[in-house]
Amino acid sequence: AKQPYNVSVAAEVAACAALQNPLYLENVKDALVRERDRLFKLLKEVPFLNPFPSYSNFILCEVTSGRDAKKLKEDLAKMGLMIRHYDKKELKGYVRVSVGKPEHTDALMKCLSAIQ
């Protein structure tokens, strides 16, 4: 069976190199935390999303106001943005947004504004 998170040889080499540079890792972590905080604040302003605080590299959002989470994922995909939707009943009304670079957040917010 395929493992859920396969890593290529190139990615493994890059990860091993990054682990040898603690300053680089600290800078990447700090940038991720800053962008996660910014993304969370922006998602809170979207009237049909209820984001949950996160300590990870993604933010889980409840899709509210009668909107369909799967349709939201599909609409964003048509605009070139990928978010995660779950079919399991416990998370059916939720989407997961990965934290990326500031320009990724900006693109997401632009598309969410267009959907409103």
Side-chain angles (χ1 to χ4, degrees), residues 2 5 26 31-32 34 44 50-51 55 69-70 74 98 106:
K2 181 180 174 185
Y5 297 104
E26 189 68 23
L32 175 82
R34 278 192 310 274
K44 282 181 73 164
N50 178 28
Y55 293 95
K70 186 174 182 179
E74 292 167 352
S98 295
D106 295 341

Side-chain angles (χ1 to χ4, degrees), residues 3 8 23-24 35 38-39 42 56 62-63 75 89 91 96-100 103 112-113 116:
Q3 295 298 313
S8 70
L23 181 60
Y24 171 78
E35 193 57 27
R38 182 173 90 96
L39 176 60
L42 290 169
S56 185
E62 180 182 15
V63 180
D75 290 346
K89 69 177 183 174
L91 291 172
R96 188 183 100 170
V97 179
S98 295
V99 180
E103 54 266 29
L112 286 172
S113 292
Q116 291 183 26

Side-chain angles (χ1 to χ4, degrees), residues 53-73:
S54 174
Y55 293 95
S56 185
N57 65 335
F58 65 86
I59 297 175
L60 183 69
C61 298
E62 180 182 15
V63 180
T64 63
S65 303
R67 299 243 181 181
D68 182 81
K70 186 174 182 179
K71 183 171 180 346
L72 176 61
K73 175 200 179 261

Side-chain angles (χ1 to χ4, degrees), residues 12-101:
E12 185 175 344
V13 168
C16 288
L19 290 171
Q20 299 302 314
N21 187 341
L23 181 60
Y24 171 78
L25 286 176
E26 189 68 23
N27 289 337
V28 169
K29 179 193 69 99
D30 290 345
L32 175 82
V33 169
R34 278 192 310 274
E35 193 57 27
R36 182 186 64 211
D37 292 345
R38 182 173 90 96
L39 176 60
F40 179 77
K41 289 174 186 166
L42 290 169
L43 290 172
K44 282 181 73 164
E45 296 174 9
V46 178
F48 54 88
L49 292 178
N50 178 28
F52 291 89
S54 174
Y55 293 95
S56 185
N57 65 335
F58 65 86
I59 297 175
L60 183 69
C61 298
E62 180 182 15
V63 180
T64 63
S65 303
R67 299 243 181 181
D68 182 81
K70 186 174 182 179
K71 183 171 180 346
L72 176 61
K73 175 200 179 261
E74 292 167 352
D75 290 346
L76 288 172
K78 291 175 188 172
M79 297 177 183
L81 287 166
M82 301 302 294
I83 62 171
R84 182 93 188 249
H85 168 260
Y86 299 95
D87 285 327
K88 293 188 177 190
K89 69 177 183 174
E90 297 86 2
L91 291 172
K92 193 170 183 136
Y94 295 80
V95 294
R96 188 183 100 170
V97 179
S98 295
V99 180
K101 296 180 179 180

